[in-house]
Every structure is written in C-alpha cells, then in structure tokens.
Amino acid sequence: MATLILVRHGRSTANTSGVLAGRTPGISLDERGAAQAAALPGRLADVPLAAVVSSPLQRCRETVRPLLDARPDLPLHVEDRINECDYGDWSGRKLAELNDEPLMEVVQAHASAAAFPGGESMRAMQARAVDAVHDWNARIEAEHGEDAAYVMCSHGDIVKSIVADALGLHLDLFQRIHVDPCSVTVIRYTRLRPFLVRLGDTGDFAGFAPREHPDSSGTAEVGGGAGAP
C-alpha cells in the first residue's frame, strides 16, 4: 500500500509561549516555524508525491504552503479527522499549570483512560486519526498505485498515536514517542503490516546536546513540545 509521510507542523507561537493551543483559532507558525516550513520542499525534493493531506488548523496549512508553492500541481486535501486533539477546557492554558492537574498523571501513564473535560478522549483521538490514515492509504493506492507516497501534516499527539498504532503499541505507551516540530515520520504500509521507516527526523541534532536545565521528570509535553531551543 501507500507510503505515508507524516509531518508535524512547524514550531508555533503557542509552542514557544508554553500554551496548550488545541484547536484555538489564530495560532500561527513563529519565525523559526516559518523557516522550518520553508525548508520542507528541499527535504522532500527527491520524493515523488501524490498528494498533501492537512489538518484544517492554520499552523498545519502554513507548514505545507511552501511545499505546495514548490509543486503547484500537487493537490491539497483538508482532513478533519487529523485535527488536533480536542483538549476542551484545557485549551489555551499554560502547560506549567496543567502539570498540577490530577488528570495529567493519567494522560502521561494511562492515556487510554484519559478524557479531557469538555473535550475528547485520547482513545477517540487515536481512532479517528488511524481511520483517516487507512482511508487515505486506500484512496492514494487506488488513484496512484501501491508505490505512491503522500504527505499528511498534523499535530504532535496525532502523529504519536498513529506511530503507536503502526508499531502495535498500546496507547498507554504512546508518550514514549517524541516528534519535534516539522519533523518527518515515514510509515510504509503493506498488506500484512506497516513498517516505521523514519521517526521524528528533522536533520538537526542540536536537540540532543546537553541542556543547562535538563528535564528528568520523564513527563511528555502534551501537544508535542517546542523542539530544540
């Protein structure tokens, strides 16, 4: 079947301000995120692409715009099922204050039981995203052949939940996966099983350098984090 190239959106203004954006409108890429998006066409230059599928949110649409400008014949499809997780009442709040919420411990260690107040559960988030991937795999293969590749631009928790499904990992383990802004993750789907070919590839190793104040808590940042400083 098709090869899925998952792109997390570039760094956003919410990432740098430590806010859980969720589906809050008007969240754009920051200066670094725009530069990351501008570099994306070059990173994918050698890959023939059949289509681009994007979350409806502004930060994803801005991430794929340079790629679409570089390839004007490439069709864009907006897919609601790969929209950001609906964090409900948590949307727009500072991540630092959310860390004190009792639910955060459940989100970190038992994600399959986590449901955001006024929003959706993490199980529902994963189910809709995985359904969208399988539907688009079938569509791309039917229209372009089994060797076709396509880009899907979405959000940190969505990408991680799709990767967990591809690896056969329980959702409770998905916080062990990390994808930086504008990272590229590649999953090649076959009739019997998917293969994870790349995970969170940015081509930049700055994020692996020792940090002045390392986080040793083992906590995964909800929404995906801001990436390397």
Side-chain angles (χ1 to χ4, degrees), residues 19-45:
V19 169
L20 184 62
R23 298 180 179 181
T24 304
I27 303 297
S28 64
L29 300 182
D30 67 6
E31 184 176 352
R32 179 170 180 171
Q36 291 170 335
L40 191 60
R43 294 168 63 195
L44 299 178

Side-chain angles (χ1 to χ4, degrees), residues 179-203:
V179 289
D180 275 342
C182 220
S183 61
V184 173
T185 294
V186 181
I187 305 172
R188 182 169 296 128
Y189 287 84
T190 72
R191 186 174 64 86
L192 296 180
R193 63 181 64 87
F195 293 89
L196 182 64
V197 182
R198 292 282 192 282
L199 176 61
D201 188 343
T202 64

Side-chain angles (χ1 to χ4, degrees), residues 64-77:
V64 299
R65 175 46 52 192
L67 179 61
L68 295 167
D69 289 344
R71 304 194 194 191
D73 295 331
L74 196 59
L76 170 66
H77 306 277

Side-chain angles (χ1 to χ4, degrees), residues 1 129-139 150 165 189:
M1 296 181 69
V130 170
D131 282 348
V133 166
H134 288 301
D135 288 348
W136 277 102
N137 285 348
R139 176 172 173 177
Y150 70 106
D165 173 78
Y189 287 84

Side-chain angles (χ1 to χ4, degrees), residues 45-190:
D46 294 332
V47 185
L49 296 173
V52 172
V53 181
S54 176
S55 158
L57 295 187
Q58 178 180 340
R59 53 194 183 273
C60 288
R61 302 285 290 269
E62 289 178 351
T63 297
V64 299
R65 175 46 52 192
L67 179 61
L68 295 167
D69 289 344
R71 304 194 194 191
D73 295 331
L74 196 59
L76 170 66
H77 306 277
V78 176
E79 173 58 74
D80 287 338
R81 291 176 295 175
I82 60 168
N83 200 347
E84 177 65 285
C85 183
D86 184 355
Y87 297 116
D89 297 343
W90 279 26
S91 300
R93 294 179 60 188
K94 287 281 189 179
L95 286 162
E97 69 180 45
L98 289 172
N99 285 333
D100 295 328
E101 294 280 353
L103 177 60
M104 181 60 83
E105 188 175 13
V106 182
V107 170
Q108 293 293 323
H110 192 16
S112 63
F116 296 97
E120 70 178 332
S121 69
M122 301 201 90
R123 280 189 302 111
M125 174 199 74
Q126 183 186 44
R128 63 173 167 82
V130 170
D131 282 348
V133 166
H134 288 301
D135 288 348
W136 277 102
N137 285 348
R139 176 172 173 177
I140 294 295
E141 181 180 5
E143 295 179 0
H144 302 279
E146 63 181 13
D147 294 327
Y150 70 106
V151 166
M152 180 175 280
C153 184
S154 189
H155 308 269
D157 282 347
I158 297 291
V159 173
K160 288 161 55 178
S161 70
I162 292 170
V163 170
D165 173 78
L167 291 174
L169 288 177
H170 196 282
L171 184 61
D172 289 348
L173 302 178
F174 99 123
Q175 298 288 24
R176 301 184 183 193
I177 299 166
H178 181 78
V179 289
D180 275 342
C182 220
S183 61
V184 173
T185 294
V186 181
I187 305 172
R188 182 169 296 128
Y189 287 84
T190 72

